[in-house]
C-alpha cells in the first residue's frame, strides 16, 4: 500500500473532510445539530468547516491522503486554543439556524459539554473528530494519524494528549489502550432526542514524551 501523507487541512477539503468528521460521532452530532433545525448536522459542519474559528473549522484539522484521496481526518488543539471557540461557534450556529432553532442547538451543545468536557489545560493537546474512510479501516491508518497528532501536540508545547471515546465504540477504545492511553474519567449519558443520542464517554489521556513507536 502507498504510504499516506498527512497535512494541515484547507477550506477546499470540505467535501471530503465533513463526512469523515461526522463519522466520528454521528449520533451525537445529530442530537446537537440535527434536531428541529433548518439544516442537518452535516450541513452545519460544512458551514463551520470553512470558517476560521471554532472547533469544527479547517485551521484545527489535519487530513490524511492516500493516492490523492482524503481518507482520514483529525482535529487537535490545546486547552488554551479551546478557550476561544465559544463565540465563533455561537455565530456559526445562529447563522445556520436562526435565533429560535439556534437557541436549541446551543442548549444541547451545553448539555453535551457535561459529557464530553472541553479541554482547559494549556499543556494538554486534545484530539477529536478522528475519522477514517470505511474502505480504509483496519489498515493501521488510525494509528498513523494519531502518531502524527502526537507530534503536533509536542510541537505546540503540550505534554499530554487527551481524547474522548464513546462507550459504544470498544474497538476504538482498544486501540487507544494498546497505544498507552489510560482512562481518567467516565461519564454516563441519558441525552436523547428524535434525531440522535449522546453515548456515555470515557476521557483517556496519554503522556506524550513516552509515546511508543509501535502498537503490538
Amino acid at each position: 500500500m502507498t504510504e499516506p501523507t498527512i497535512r494541515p487541512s484547507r477550506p477546499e477539503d470540505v467535501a471530503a473532510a465533513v463526512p469523515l468528521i461526522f463519522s466520528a460521532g454521528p449520533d451525537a452530532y445529530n442530537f446537537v445539530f440535527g434536531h428541529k433545525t433548518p439544516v442537518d448536522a452535516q450541513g452545519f459542519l460544512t458551514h463551520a468547516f470553512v470558517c476560521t474559528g471554532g472547533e469544527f473549522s479547517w485551521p484545527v484539522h489535519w487530513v490524511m491522503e492516500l493516492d490523492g484521496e482524503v481518507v482520514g481526518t483529525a482535529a487537535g488543539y490545546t486547552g488554551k486554543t479551546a478557550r476561544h471557540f465559544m463565540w465563533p461557534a455561537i455565530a456559526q450556529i445562529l447563522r445556520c439556524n436562526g435565533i429560535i432553532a439556534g437557541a436549541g442547538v446551543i442548549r444541547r451543545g451545553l448539555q453535551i459539554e457535561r459529557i464530553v468536557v472541553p479541554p482547559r489545560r494549556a499543556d494538554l493537546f486534545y484530539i477529536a473528530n478522528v475519522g477514517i474512510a470505511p474502505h480504509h479501516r483496519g489498515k493501521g491508518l488510525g494509528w498513523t494519524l494519531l502518531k502524527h497528532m502526537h507530534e503536533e501536540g509536542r510541537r505546540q508545547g503540550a505534554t499530554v494528549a487527551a481524547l474522548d471515546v464513546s462507550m459504544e465504540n470498544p474497538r476504538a477504545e482498544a486501540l487507544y489502550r494498546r497505544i498507552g492511553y489510560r482512562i481518567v474519567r467516565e461519564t454516563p449519558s441519558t441525552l436523547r432526542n428524535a434525531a440522535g443520542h449522546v453515548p456515555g464517554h470515557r476521557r483517556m489521556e496519554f503522556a506524550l514524551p513516552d509515546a511508543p513507536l509501535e502498537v503490538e
Side-chain angles (χ1 to χ4, degrees):
M1 183 176 71
T2 306
E3 287 297 314
T5 59
I6 301 170
R7 60 168 174 81
S9 67
R10 301 186 288 256
E12 54 266 32
D13 294 319
V14 59
V18 164
L20 296 173
I21 293 170
F22 179 74
S23 73
D27 286 318
Y29 278 131
N30 284 332
F31 170 86
V32 177
F33 300 110
H35 182 61
K36 298 181 179 179
T37 52
V39 297
D40 62 14
Q42 292 198 58
F44 171 77
L45 291 173
T46 297
H47 170 78
F49 185 85
V50 297
C51 295
T52 56
E55 64 190 291
F56 305 115
S57 63
W58 65 267
V60 297
H61 282 82
W62 281 256
V63 296
M64 171 183 282
E65 289 184 318
L66 193 61
D67 296 325
E69 176 191 4
V70 173
V71 298
T73 188
Y77 44 84
T78 66
K80 182 178 180 180
T81 300
R83 296 170 195 164
H84 304 287
F85 285 165
M86 182 177 69
W87 293 114
I90 290 174
Q92 293 159 12
I93 290 167
L94 294 179
R95 198 173 297 124
C96 276
N97 298 286
I99 294 176
I100 295 176
V105 173
I106 293 169
R107 177 180 57 82
R108 293 189 294 275
L110 293 173
Q111 287 179 315
I112 201 173
E113 285 188 359
R114 299 173 191 164
I115 310 299
V116 181
V117 181
R120 304 298 182 196
R121 293 163 43 193
D123 68 330
L124 185 146
F125 189 71
Y126 187 73
I127 301 171
N129 297 336
V130 179
I132 300 295
H135 55 293
H136 283 292
R137 292 172 187 167
K139 301 177 181 179
L141 296 181
W143 169 224
T144 300
L145 185 55
L146 277 174
K147 283 196 292 186
H148 177 88
M149 299 306 291
H150 290 166
E151 290 301 322
E152 179 61 27
R154 291 189 189 91
R155 191 188 68 79
Q156 294 191 27
T159 59
V160 176
L163 49 80
D164 285 279
V165 61
S166 164
M167 294 181 188
E168 297 178 1
N169 192 353
R171 182 175 180 178
E173 182 178 329
L175 169 63
Y176 302 143
R177 286 180 180 273
R178 290 199 303 274
I179 292 170
Y181 279 84
R182 62 184 183 87
I183 297 171
V184 297
R185 182 173 62 243
E186 183 172 295
T187 309
S189 172
T190 58
L191 296 177
R192 182 179 295 272
N193 59 31
H197 73 285
V198 181
H201 277 72
R202 295 185 175 101
R203 171 66 57 87
M204 304 183 78
E205 293 186 358
F206 177 63
L208 287 176
D210 301 323
L213 295 177
E214 301 292 342
V215 176
E216 295 182 359

